[in-house]
Amino acid sequence: MKFEGTKSYVATNDLTVAVNAAVALERPLLVKGEPGTGKTELARQVADALGLRMIEWNIKSTTKAQQGLYEYDAVSRLRDSQLGDERVHDVSNYIRKGKLWQAFEAGEKVVLLIDEVDKADIEFPNDLLQELDRMEFHVYETGEMIRARHRPIVIITSNNEKELPDAFLRRCFFHYIRFPDPETMKQIVEVHHPGIKNALLTEALTQFYEIRDMTGLKKKPSTSEVLDWLKLLLAEDLSPDEIRRDGADALPKLHGALLKNEQDVHLFERLAFMARAGR
């Protein structure tokens, strides 16, 4: 069971090595990187390439580790007992299975994505240590032990918003997705926009990387944003000359696809003003 990338996902050699190492070690793969570098999409592509079903657990700031195992609805059970409902005699009627439970009881190997783990409380990763390590957990309300029938491939993503506990990191195989260099980016663009003219692509990517390298930029545009920008450039049928910037017009064409806050727009506007004043 080897991952080698897919037709719709350009995976670098070090990324494929990391995925296959995590699978061989049967450890969670912790993938870090700035937003828009394809961390979440990696899990989908691994599942697709290996022919496996994917179970996705999207983490929010309010998510608790227990929700990944199961939730017991005591309020509904109390209400049903007051109404004389026969369901109340079977506590399992009030157990809602979480994403880990679903992955553990699957009749086949699955890919379990725990997406943006750093959004949750700092204790969240530690609360899952034993379950992810032993691939089992106890349901206190029913007394049963839930064990993984087939150890899932666990992929955990993080946007590096907060540090993760050392004990959690020790149990993971770690990979940092570096931002694509221009050559890799060209391959990614070719997947999404096949046949794009080289002159337009070269001019667009030159501008894109110049923007990312600008000092003072609050939010650097990501891979997904340059793909959206190129889609707009193609839809408008703009030529390389039409999108080329000069000092007096520092904002790129259709800049709303690349710049996502007023601070960065104002930065470009100030540069344009300074260029005009210097003439």
Side-chain angles (χ1 to χ4, degrees):
M1 187 176 283
K2 290 281 187 179
F3 174 69
E4 297 177 349
T6 67
K7 291 181 179 179
S8 58
Y9 187 88
V10 177
T12 58
N13 183 62
D14 58 342
L15 178 56
T16 59
V17 167
V19 171
N20 292 320
V23 172
L25 291 171
E26 295 189 324
R27 288 191 176 275
L29 173 63
L30 174 60
V31 185
K32 286 189 177 183
E34 64 180 84
T37 48
K39 301 184 298 298
T40 301
E41 186 61 23
L42 170 66
R44 299 191 180 106
Q45 296 299 327
V46 169
D48 183 56
L50 302 182
L52 305 177
R53 179 165 65 94
M54 190 180 87
I55 296 174
E56 187 169 350
W57 186 13
N58 296 301
I59 307 303
K60 302 177 181 179
S61 59
T62 55
T63 303
K64 302 298 181 185
Q66 180 63 33
Q67 294 171 303
L69 308 179
Y70 68 93
E71 292 181 273
Y72 170 55
D73 192 350
V75 174
S76 292
R77 193 181 188 197
L78 175 60
R79 184 193 62 230
D80 288 349
S81 68
Q82 293 170 339
L83 296 174
D85 194 318
E86 287 298 316
R87 296 174 70 251
V88 75
H89 298 297
D90 185 355
V91 68
S92 64
N93 289 324
Y94 304 93
I95 300 291
R96 185 168 60 192
K97 298 175 182 179
K99 298 296 185 180
L100 265 74
W101 190 330
Q102 294 173 32
F104 285 6
E105 74 172 1
E108 74 286 348
K109 198 176 191 69
V110 300
V111 173
L112 173 62
L113 169 63
I114 304 177
D115 201 24
E116 299 189 330
V117 68
D118 52 329
K119 278 188 175 180
D121 182 87
I122 189 63
E123 291 304 319
F124 177 89
N126 277 339
D127 290 342
L128 287 176
L129 286 180
Q130 181 169 310
E131 289 76 13
L132 290 176
D133 199 24
R134 298 184 182 179
M135 287 288 154
E136 64 180 25
F137 63 90
H138 185 254
V139 182
Y140 295 98
E141 289 77 9
T142 63
E144 60 185 320
M145 180 67 77
I146 305 300
R147 294 185 176 88
R149 298 172 64 184
H150 303 274
R151 194 176 187 99
I153 296 172
V154 182
I155 297 178
I156 304 171
T157 72
S158 168
N159 287 329
N160 248 351
E161 292 183 5
K162 63 168 70 89
E163 289 296 319
L164 298 173
D166 287 346
F168 179 77
L169 295 175
R170 282 198 299 272
R171 288 166 169 80
C172 297
F173 190 92
F174 172 77
H175 181 74
Y176 183 84
I177 296 184
R178 295 179 178 84
F179 196 83
D181 59 33
E183 283 306 310
T184 303
M185 186 64 79
K186 284 184 177 181
Q187 296 177 42
I188 294 171
V189 171
E190 183 61 33
V191 167
H192 293 270
H193 303 296
I196 187 172
K197 292 181 179 177
N198 189 61
L200 176 64
L201 178 57
T202 299
E203 177 60 35
L205 290 186
T206 298
Q207 286 193 42
F208 173 69
Y209 281 98
E210 285 176 354
I211 293 169
R212 279 187 55 86
D213 290 340
M214 282 191 64
T215 302
L217 206 63
K218 184 176 181 181
K219 182 193 178 304
K220 295 181 178 183
S222 68
T223 304
S224 59
E225 287 158 344
V226 75
L227 291 174
D228 286 346
W229 186 48
L230 284 165
K231 184 177 181 179
L232 290 173
L233 298 181
L234 290 169
E236 295 292 328
D237 197 23
L238 297 175
S239 69
D241 289 337
E242 288 174 314
I243 70 169
R244 190 168 289 118
R245 295 183 298 132
D246 58 37
D249 186 19
L251 277 169
K253 296 285 186 183
L254 302 167
H255 64 270
L258 295 175
L259 306 176
K260 297 302 176 75
N261 60 72
E262 63 278 10
Q263 178 178 315
D264 291 341
V265 173
H266 291 160
L267 173 62
F268 278 85
E269 290 174 341
R270 286 196 300 272
L271 291 173
F273 174 80
M274 292 168 61
R276 289 193 296 269
R279 288 184 175 181

